């Protein structure tokens, strides 16, 4: 530009960036910056496209009118002709050097063979002339080489600069084409969405929708095995309204009852030293539930109470019950599945093995709208049944049997059995299983816990499926520790949502807009690339209470689980004496009481086996002599999931209301 106005920005060197759906910025990297706003997102994209094309043209014009006024093609041809002539000069000089050098060599040879006489002077004169010619030719050769090198060096810099400019221009054009492709894709989706927009959404402006979808587009690489992915929650616009609606209802519910004050602390954990290896060294390869362990390695909660901790994030099921879409509902159920592991990250203490017939109730109906009951229904193998229901329209039930093996350096805990969740309004029936828990550094070092494996959450009514993958910790992995990923698919295998996050912190979900096949992964499997909306947080872990490191790293809910309550069953874990003594820091007394309870349980079992033999002197082959029947649960075959499990048969809450516990066994 020969003359420019004040405040002008040269397009060739301008930076053009997008701020949001309607705003964009043009600057020169210095003092000049313009913030511009278009009337709509489409208008903004038109401006961006026009400016990028004009910038590319300005750069090209600047290059053409730079150091030389003639076209680049003419300049290159002229330079090549010059270099060609210099090469010809070098060839001529080389021929002359060879010719004169040979003549000089012959003259020197003849000079050596001459006798001193009259011809000596003439020969010396010839040698001197030929030496002079050789020197002149050599100087010409040196000068020609110097000129060739100078021309090549000077033009090499300009050609490198021209090539770099071409590369940058090509990159800018590729970016412009990519933006145009995205805009075209977005307009197609917007058009298809507008043609099927329901009447209830007809008042929503197209401008807002276009802004949300285009700015929130992100790309994610699927996992190596696409079927291992999990699903994600529904349309962000619909999800946002659901979330806000749920929070409002929750706020209203919170005001509808008198707040119940529950404890926020328990006695600090005593610092009693005990060598774990001295106990575990003789137990390698054995079943952990059959190993007598002192309370020094326990936490003051039973396994029944640990199962009840799964309900810490019950709000996820409340929100799932309100979902209209089964795929969206699947996202919340999957997030609830992951949230149940968040309490385990620092919890290296072993929960108490429940006694046969032991129960635990968690009545949060006034505060949170749900009630939960657990019962130890079998001792060998140890199995616990759990049933919870909510006034918000969901029911959760599970039967878990723990299989554990000590391998020397680490301890593996494999939960067997399934978890099921049913929703009253939609009649959707979900089921899934738990992953393996591993406790590391049993012998040396600080204990730490990892969760690894895969979970398939299945909706038996619709065929929807969510595949979650818990990545095992690896020192050499570049992924974040405790990573969880997944994809939600319908019955036909089409992916609709993506879940990602960590099981100890938070989970996010994204709606899939488009999927395509990418390059092959490390194991030769073809990768799937999902184009998704911007991820939204679906779950975040609650912060631990102050001083949790001195209270077994209990969460706020866990601190209240063993709090004494009036009216609970005599078999409730809160009434277990060894567990209460341990919580109070009286560990020696707790160990003695634990041995007494275990011996009492063995005596009761022997009596039960003797009674069973009296009733059936010749038991059937394979039948267990112990004919114990659970009090509040009964074993059935679930026709929906095809599994056999203990389900709640009713009566507990009525008995609590009447204060009638005569049917409960004396286990403590």
């Amino acid at each position: 530009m020969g003359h420019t106005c004040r405040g002008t920005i040269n397009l060739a060197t301008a930076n053009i960036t997008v701020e949001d759906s309607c705003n964009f910025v043009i600057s020169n990297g210095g003092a000049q910056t313009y913030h511009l706003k278009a009337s709509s997102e489409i208008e903004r994209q038109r401006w961006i496209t026009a400016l990028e094309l004009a910038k590319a043209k300005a750069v090209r014009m600047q290059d053409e009118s730079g150091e030389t006024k003639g076209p680049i093609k003419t300049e290159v041809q002229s330079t090549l002709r010059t270099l060609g002539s210099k090469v010809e000069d070098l060839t001529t000089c080389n021929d002359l050097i060879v010719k004169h050098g040979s003549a000089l060599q012959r003259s020197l040879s003849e000079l050596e063979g001459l006798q001193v006489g009259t011809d000596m002077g003439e020969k010396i004169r010839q040698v001197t002339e030929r030496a002079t010619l050789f020197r002149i030719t050599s100087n010409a050769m040196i000068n020609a080489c110097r000129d060739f090198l100078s021309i090549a060096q000077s033009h090499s810099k300009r050609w490198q600069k021209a090539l770099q400019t071409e590369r940058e221009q090509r990159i800018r054009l590729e970016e412009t084409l990519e933006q145009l492709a995205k805009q075209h894709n977005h307009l197609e989706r917007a058009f298809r969405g507008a043609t099927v927009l329901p009447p209830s959404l007809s008042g929503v402006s197209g401008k807002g929708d276009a802004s949300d979808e285009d700015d929130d587009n992100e790309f994610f690489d699927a996992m190596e095995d696409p079927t291992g992915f999990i699903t994600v929650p529904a349309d962000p616009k619909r999800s946002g309204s659901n979330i806000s609606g749920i929070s409002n209802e929750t706020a209203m519910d919170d005001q509808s009852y008198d707040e119940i004050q529950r404890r926020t602390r328990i006695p600090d954990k005593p610092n009693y030293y005990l060598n774990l290896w001295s106990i575990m060294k003789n137990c390698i390869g054995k079943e952990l539930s059959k190993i007598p362990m002192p309370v020094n390695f326990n936490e003051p909660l039973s396994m029944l109470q640990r199962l009840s901790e799964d309900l810490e994030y019950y709000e996820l099921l409340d929100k799932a019950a309100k979902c209209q879409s089964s795929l969206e509902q699947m996202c919340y159920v999957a997030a609830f599945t992951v949230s149940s592991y968040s309490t385990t990250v620092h919890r290296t203490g072993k929960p108490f093995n429940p006694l046969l017939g032991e129960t635990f109730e968690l009545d949060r109906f006034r505060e949170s709208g749900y009630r939960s009951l657990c019962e130890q229904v079998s001792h060998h193998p140890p199995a616990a049944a759990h049933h919870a229901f909510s006034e918000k329209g969901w029911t959760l039930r599970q039967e878990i049997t723990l299989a554990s093996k000590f391998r020397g350096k680490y301890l593996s805990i494999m939960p067997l059995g399934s978890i099921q969740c049913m929703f009253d309004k939609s009649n959707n029936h979900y089921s899934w299983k738990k992953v393996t828990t591993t406790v590391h550094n049993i012998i040396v070092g600080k204990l730490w816990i990892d969760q690894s494996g895969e979970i398939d959450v299945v909706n038996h009514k619709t065929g929807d499926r969510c595949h979650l993958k818990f990545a095992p910790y690896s020192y050499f992995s570049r992924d974040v520790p405790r990573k969880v990923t997944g994809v939600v698919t319908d019955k036909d295998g089409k992916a609709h949502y993506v879940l990602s996050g960590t099981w100890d912190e938070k989970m996010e979900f994204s709606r899939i807009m488009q999927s395509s096949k990418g390059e092959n992964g490390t194991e030769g499997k073809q990768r799937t690339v999902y184009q998704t909306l911007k991820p939204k947080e679906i779950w975040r872990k609650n912060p631990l209470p102050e001083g949790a490191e001195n209270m077994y790293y209990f969460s706020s809910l866990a601190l209240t689980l063993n709090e004494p309550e009036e009216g609970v069953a005599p078999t409730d874990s809160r009434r277990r004496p060894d567990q209460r003594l341990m919580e109070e820091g009286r560990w020696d007394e707790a160990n003695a009481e634990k041995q007494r309870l275990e011996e009492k349980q063995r005596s009761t079992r022997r009596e039960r086996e003797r009674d069973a033999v009296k009733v059936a002197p010749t038991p059937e082959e394979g039948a267990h002599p112990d004919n114990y029947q659970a009090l509040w649960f009964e074993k059935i075959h679930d026709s929906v999931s095809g599994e056999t499990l203990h389900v709640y048969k009713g009566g507990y809450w009525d008995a609590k209301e009447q204060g009638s516990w005569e049917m409960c066994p004396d286990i403590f």
Side-chain angles (χ1 to χ4, degrees):
M1 294 183 180
H3 302 282
T4 58
C5 300
R6 184 176 181 182
T8 299
I9 296 178
N10 187 358
L11 260 184
T13 59
N15 295 321
I16 304 172
T17 57
V18 177
E19 282 190 330
D20 53 31
S21 59
C22 296
N23 296 306
F24 60 98
V25 178
I26 304 176
S27 66
N28 60 0
Q32 297 295 336
T33 302
Y34 292 122
H35 296 265
L36 305 176
K37 182 176 182 180
S39 59
S40 67
E41 181 189 9
I42 296 177
E43 186 67 22
R44 182 216 67 188
Q45 190 58 42
R46 287 176 179 171
W47 274 101
I48 293 295
T49 302
L51 287 170
E52 287 290 351
L53 293 175
K55 178 180 177 180
K57 185 177 180 181
V59 171
R60 186 169 61 253
M61 293 176 63
Q62 187 182 57
D63 292 340
E64 291 175 353
S65 61
E67 299 178 8
T68 59
K69 301 298 182 179
I72 293 180
K73 184 176 180 180
T74 304
E75 176 193 354
V76 172
Q77 291 177 348
S78 175
T79 304
L80 289 176
R81 283 196 297 269
T82 304
L83 290 175
S85 65
K86 291 297 179 182
V87 170
E88 291 178 358
D89 293 344
L90 290 174
T91 303
T92 303
C93 291
N94 180 66
D95 294 341
L96 291 174
I97 287 176
V98 172
K99 176 182 177 182
H100 295 307
S102 299
L104 179 60
Q105 186 65 36
R106 286 196 304 271
S107 298
L108 291 175
S109 300
E110 292 174 357
L111 183 62
E112 291 177 356
L114 287 177
Q115 299 292 331
V116 180
T118 56
D119 294 335
M120 180 64 69
E122 182 63 21
K123 291 295 182 183
I124 291 176
R125 184 182 63 80
Q126 292 179 0
V127 170
T128 303
E129 289 177 355
R130 290 175 178 175
T132 302
L133 289 174
F134 184 81
R135 184 179 68 253
I136 293 173
T137 306
S138 299
N139 289 337
M141 181 73 168
I142 293 172
N143 292 334
C145 290
R146 186 184 298 113
D147 293 342
F148 181 87
L149 182 61
S150 176
I151 294 174
Q153 288 178 340
S154 63
H155 286 83
S156 174
K157 294 178 181 178
R158 295 185 59 190
W159 290 345
Q160 288 177 358
K161 182 180 178 182
L163 288 174
Q164 182 63 27
T165 303
E166 290 292 334
R167 293 192 190 100
E168 293 174 355
Q169 183 176 348
R170 181 184 52 124
I171 293 173
R172 284 193 293 269
L173 289 174
E174 288 176 352
E175 292 174 350
T176 302
L177 288 174
E178 183 178 355
Q179 290 179 359
L180 290 173
K182 286 183 179 180
Q183 180 67 14
H184 181 266
N185 190 20
H186 157 67
L187 290 174
E188 284 186 346
R189 292 198 309 270
F191 175 76
R192 288 196 298 267
T195 58
V196 297
L197 192 65
S200 59
L201 298 180
S202 59
V204 180
S205 67
K207 170 186 171 182
D209 290 347
S211 170
D212 290 343
E213 288 195 9
D214 187 71
D215 284 349
D216 291 349
N217 278 349
E218 291 191 3
F219 292 87
F220 294 90
D221 281 346
M223 296 168 60
E224 291 294 334
D225 184 2
T227 61
F229 260 57
I230 20 175
T231 53
V232 200
D235 191 325
K237 303 174 186 61
R238 182 186 300 171
S239 299
S241 61
N242 281 345
I243 292 173
S244 60
I246 291 172
S247 61
N248 291 338
E249 291 189 16
T250 305
M252 293 172 62
D253 292 344
D254 290 344
Q255 298 171 1
S256 64
Y257 66 88
D258 296 331
E259 185 177 358
I260 299 176
Q261 295 295 330
R262 300 192 184 274
R263 69 182 185 181
T264 58
R265 289 197 62 83
I266 61 174
D268 289 353
K269 177 182 179 181
N271 188 18
Y272 292 159
Y273 173 75
L274 186 64
N275 188 351
L276 177 61
W277 178 243
S278 65
I279 297 175
M280 301 293 286
K281 63 183 179 181
N282 297 321
C283 305
I284 297 177
K286 295 183 180 179
E287 179 68 32
L288 186 64
S289 61
K290 299 180 181 179
I291 301 174
M293 299 283 289
V295 301
N296 303 55
F297 304 117
N298 285 25
E299 62 180 18
L301 291 178
S302 73
M303 179 56 69
L304 303 181
Q305 291 165 315
R306 285 291 292 268
L307 281 179
S308 301
E309 278 192 78
D310 288 356
L311 295 170
E312 179 166 0
Y313 300 96
Y314 67 93
E315 300 97 334
L316 291 169
L317 296 182
D318 289 348
K319 295 175 183 178
K322 295 179 178 293
C323 293
Q324 301 297 322
S325 166
S326 63
L327 293 168
E328 180 183 1
Q329 189 177 74
M330 174 68 83
C331 295
Y332 285 98
V333 175
F336 175 79
T337 302
V338 176
S339 71
S340 63
Y341 297 96
S342 63
T343 61
T344 66
V345 61
H346 299 298
R347 300 272 289 278
T348 56
K350 173 183 174 294
F352 279 79
N353 288 333
L355 301 173
L356 187 61
E358 185 176 336
T359 62
F360 177 73
E361 70 163 65
L362 184 61
D363 190 353
R364 294 291 191 269
F365 199 79
R366 291 179 62 190
E367 301 128 292
S368 307
Y370 72 85
R371 280 176 170 169
S372 166
L373 176 66
C374 293
E375 181 181 3
Q376 187 76 0
V377 296
S378 173
H379 187 61
H380 287 299
H386 180 206
H387 180 270
F389 67 94
S390 170
E391 63 176 356
K392 301 295 179 63
W394 55 264
T395 301
L396 183 74
R397 65 189 187 195
Q398 59 180 316
E399 180 178 344
I400 298 298
T401 300
L402 293 181
S404 51
K405 290 293 184 180
F406 176 52
R407 302 298 185 185
K409 291 184 179 181
Y410 62 90
L411 176 70
S412 295
I413 303 171
M414 294 79 70
L416 308 177
S418 68
I419 308 166
Q420 299 184 3
C421 185
M422 293 78 69
F423 293 94
D424 300 340
K425 184 177 179 180
S426 61
N427 290 324
N428 286 331
H429 189 135
Y430 297 87
S431 69
W432 65 91
K433 299 181 183 295
K434 288 182 173 287
V435 297
T436 299
T437 300
T438 306
V439 184
H440 295 270
N441 291 348
I442 295 294
I443 303 176
V444 179
K446 183 179 179 181
L447 295 176
W448 61 278
I449 290 179
D450 192 23
Q451 311 286 352
S452 60
E454 299 182 2
I455 296 177
D456 277 312
V457 185
V458 180
N459 185 340
H460 296 280
K461 178 184 176 183
T462 64
D464 301 337
R465 183 180 296 268
C466 175
H467 185 78
L468 295 169
K469 183 173 183 179
F470 290 66
Y473 174 80
S474 173
Y475 180 81
F476 301 100
S477 175
R478 292 179 292 179
D479 290 333
V480 294
R482 310 180 185 97
K483 182 179 179 181
V484 181
T485 54
V487 173
V488 175
T489 57
D490 58 23
K491 63 179 180 180
D492 299 322
K494 181 181 178 182
H496 292 268
Y497 293 94
V498 171
L499 289 176
S500 61
T502 57
W503 54 264
D504 67 326
E505 183 180 358
K506 67 175 182 178
M507 289 295 293
E508 295 178 336
F509 69 96
S510 309
R511 184 179 179 182
I512 297 175
M513 304 306 297
Q514 188 176 354
S515 63
S516 60
K517 296 296 182 182
E519 299 177 353
N520 290 339
T522 55
E523 298 180 1
K525 299 180 180 179
Q526 193 172 32
R527 299 166 65 94
T528 302
V529 179
Y530 294 117
Q531 181 184 356
T532 70
L533 297 179
K534 184 177 181 180
K536 298 183 183 298
E537 187 174 278
I538 190 172
W539 164 76
R540 177 176 289 274
K541 179 185 176 183
N542 297 327
L544 292 175
E546 184 178 357
E549 65 277 5
N550 300 321
M551 299 183 292
Y552 309 90
Y553 286 98
F554 280 180
S555 64
S556 298
L557 174 64
L559 289 174
T560 67
L561 294 180
N562 207 42
E563 183 177 11
E565 290 187 15
E566 296 294 332
V568 299
T571 54
D572 196 274
S573 299
R574 298 175 181 88
R575 300 183 182 274
R576 182 166 174 165
D578 55 347
Q579 188 171 300
R580 180 66 58 192
L581 289 169
M582 182 197 174
E583 180 182 286
E584 295 172 354
R586 299 152 63 183
W587 286 15
D588 292 338
E589 298 174 62
N591 277 318
E593 189 64 25
K594 182 173 182 289
Q595 293 179 6
R596 182 189 70 82
L597 291 174
E598 291 172 349
E599 182 57 37
K600 182 177 181 179
Q601 179 173 237
R602 285 190 285 268
S603 299
T604 303
R605 182 182 182 184
R606 286 192 291 267
E607 292 178 5
R608 200 164 49 244
E609 290 175 352
R610 284 195 295 267
D611 293 342
V613 171
K614 292 178 183 178
V615 174
T618 57
E620 297 180 3
E621 184 179 355
H624 198 282
D626 188 351
N627 59 353
Y628 177 80
Q629 297 292 328
L631 185 58
W632 307 110
F633 289 79
E634 61 181 351
K635 181 175 287 189
I636 67 165
H637 178 75
D638 182 24
S639 59
V640 177
S641 63
E643 298 175 344
T644 301
L645 73 164
H646 282 83
V647 299
Y648 179 59
K649 63 182 180 181
Y652 180 88
W653 302 105
D654 293 335
K656 180 182 179 181
E657 184 177 354
Q658 299 169 8
S660 176
W661 302 113
E662 295 84 3
M663 73 293 290
C664 294
D666 178 18
I667 61 174
F668 298 142

